[in-house]
Amino acid sequence: MAVKDYLRERFFPHLWCPGCGHGEVLGGMIRAIERLGLKKNDIVMVSGIGCSSRIVGYVDFHTLHTIHGRALAFATGVKLARPELTLIVPMGDGDALAIGGNHFIHAARRNIDITAIVMNNRIYGMTGGQFSPLSGINVSATTAPFKTIDKSFDIVELARAAGATFVARSTTYHAQHLSEVIEKAIRHKGFSVVEVLTQCPTYFGRKNRIGDAPEMVKWLKDHTTPVGSKAKQENPELIERGIFVDIEAPEYCEEYSKLVERARGGSR
Amino acid sequence: MAKPKLKRHLINRDWCKGCGICVELCPKHVLELDEQDKVSVVRPQDCICCRLCELRCPDFAIEVETEE
Ligand SMILES: Cc1ncc(C[n+]2csc(CCOP(=O)(O)OP(=O)(O)O)c2C)c(N)n1
Ligand code: SF4
Ligand code: SF4
Ligand code: SF4
Ligand SMILES: [Mg+2]
């Protein structure tokens, strides 16, 4: 199937701003799904609220557009009821790690077979550019006219510590890599997290004078480096990209079905 | 493997938002924005068919078609 066969073309052009990275994440994800040869009917995509969460409106799968921060809770319910389906949960940085932070760590802890894609533009895009737990220090935002003093989460380290069994990071500059890690994340059995560093030119870019969308994409090239590279040792400020965790561990739905068997058999 | 040869760029003018990502990041400066801020192919002979424009376009507005 071609990329466009997975899209709900009637809703295009999409509502994202010119140069918004969310559209590119959509493209990377669709190409990953195409390479995996997944059937549209076997995919459930669940999102919360935010510009990023609007992504579910554009894909021709089973889609649930739920409430802010709670997408993983809904996805957990779907997956437990129908474990044979492929669950993908695209989220904004605010959605995943501000209001949804608790759902995020507990989904990781359970190692439920869901792929979470965090579209990290370091800002609340939808509501007008408030800073998020991923903005980091010294960032201008609607709610930080004198710049932020809050340290940012490191999504990779947070996901690893919470128990995610696949953790990767990519960017909208690295389009091919982005799609490849999403493919591996979907293939992985267990809770997978892909952080995508992406651009919100309308709020983050404008307020922080990084420049227009192409400049923001180039910024992602200049400020990241492959995991374990020599460049990182020389410049610790660089953000690493690549696959950080890829391990096997008991998956939640499988453990749950064993529990059901035990209960049926009356043994404890 | 033979190098892919460009047939043409398929451009969807209704979907292109003129963000300039494909233009600025094309390694061979093949693309430009026209007076209506839509992408246009100005140096097709320089295209190396890397498809980065297609992969990075947030709007699914440009595709690279190559000879079989
Ligand atoms: C319970 C609840 N609280 C707050 C909001 C308002 N709200 C909508 S989207 C959003 C944050 C969006 O930021 P992010 O998740 O980073 O997504 P982006 O728009 O940047 O893609 C907030 C606070 C809401 N819709 N529901
Ligand atoms: S406000 Fe930012 S995140 Fe939202 S669509 Fe526009 S560029 Fe994208
Ligand atoms: S395929 Fe590569 S070289 Fe050709 S126009 Fe696109 S980005 Fe430029
Ligand atoms: S990247 Fe896409 S939307 Fe942006 S100018 Fe190029 S074709 Fe148009
Ligand atoms: Mg955001």
Side-chain angles (χ1 to χ4, degrees):
Chain A
M1 274 203 287
V3 163
K4 287 198 174 139
D5 296 329
Y6 291 96
L7 299 176
R8 292 176 181 150
E9 283 194 71
R10 63 188 182 282
F11 298 131
F12 281 72
H14 56 54
L15 91 172
W16 292 311
C17 304
C20 173
H22 293 345
E24 198 195 309
V25 181
L26 170 61
M29 189 174 72
I30 293 286
R31 289 182 190 97
I33 288 168
E34 187 196 21
R35 285 193 303 276
L36 287 165
L38 295 174
K39 286 211 227 54
K40 293 201 271 189
N41 227 4
D42 293 340
I43 302 172
V44 186
M45 199 169 284
V46 187
S47 75
I49 297 293
C51 294
S52 36
S53 294
R54 298 296 295 259
I55 198 168
V56 299
Y58 299 115
V59 293
D60 199 21
F61 311 134
H62 300 288
T63 56
L64 293 167
H65 195 177
T66 70
I67 49 179
H68 194 34
R70 269 69 185 163
L72 284 169
F74 285 86
T76 297
V78 175
K79 184 71 184 176
L80 277 169
R82 296 287 302 273
E84 72 279 15
L85 299 177
T86 298
L87 268 288
I88 304 174
V89 181
M91 297 181 282
D93 47 315
D95 195 43
L97 290 144
I99 193 168
N102 238 317
H103 293 292
F104 184 84
I105 55 176
H106 291 288
R109 178 176 61 83
R110 293 188 183 115
N111 194 35
I112 186 160
D113 187 20
I114 292 174
T115 300
I117 301 174
V118 185
M119 299 152 79
N120 179 9
N121 56 14
R122 304 173 63 195
I123 201 98
Y124 291 177
M126 177 161 270
T127 44
Q130 297 82 2
F131 69 88
S132 89
L134 274 305
S135 296
I137 298 171
N138 224 12
V139 160
S140 287
T142 317
T143 43
F146 303 105
K147 299 206 168 170
T148 49
I149 54 167
D150 305 48
K151 259 191 82 176
S152 125
F153 273 138
D154 181 327
I155 297 181
V156 165
E157 292 310 322
L158 183 72
R160 187 206 302 267
T165 49
F166 183 97
V167 183
R169 182 189 284 127
S170 191
T171 88
T172 51
Y173 178 87
H174 305 89
Q176 190 71 41
H177 178 256
L178 164 64
S179 190
E180 283 164 14
V181 293
I182 292 177
E183 181 183 339
K184 286 183 183 149
I186 295 172
R187 194 174 275 145
H188 178 82
K189 191 154 192 80
F191 192 68
S192 312
V193 176
V194 179
E195 176 187 7
V196 186
L197 301 178
T198 181
Q199 70 278 6
C200 168
T202 301
Y203 292 110
F204 194 93
R206 213 182 273 165
K207 288 206 178 292
N208 291 286
R209 299 203 169 82
I210 297 182
D212 56 7
E215 288 303 319
M216 291 186 83
V217 178
K218 285 184 208 161
W219 189 97
L220 293 170
K221 172 186 179 235
D222 297 338
H223 291 80
T224 62
T225 185
V227 55
S229 73
K230 205 160 158 258
K232 173 77 180 174
Q233 290 163 12
E234 285 158 12
N235 179 5
E237 298 281 293
L238 291 174
I239 305 164
E240 289 179 298
R241 59 186 143 78
I243 296 170
F244 298 81
V245 178
D246 187 359
I247 53 172
E248 272 181 50
E251 192 274 328
Y252 195 68
C253 296
E254 288 183 357
E255 296 306 303
Y256 186 68
S257 72
K258 288 183 206 160
L259 177 73
V260 170
E261 281 308 308
R262 283 207 298 280
R264 277 206 184 115
S267 64
R268 274 160 213 268
Chain B
M1 215 171 73
K3 275 194 198 145
K5 198 171 167 299
L6 180 72
K7 203 172 190 180
R8 58 184 170 152
H9 292 78
L10 298 171
I11 286 164
N12 185 337
R13 288 182 69 82
D14 292 335
W15 290 12
C16 171
K17 293 182 186 149
C19 70
I21 289 177
C22 61
V23 174
E24 293 295 322
L25 279 83
C26 167
K28 295 291 169 189
H29 310 287
V30 172
L31 310 166
E32 274 177 24
L33 292 181
D34 66 16
E35 64 288 348
Q36 290 174 308
D37 269 350
K38 302 283 181 184
V39 67
S40 75
V41 186
V42 290
R43 282 171 287 273
Q45 68 281 4
D46 294 344
C47 177
I48 51 170
C49 304
C50 66
R51 285 184 195 274
L52 284 170
C53 50
E54 179 177 324
L55 297 179
R56 289 202 187 105
C57 172
D59 287 86
F60 301 86
I62 183 164
E63 272 177 71
V64 180
E65 213 178 38
T66 52
E67 306 279 0
E68 284 309 305

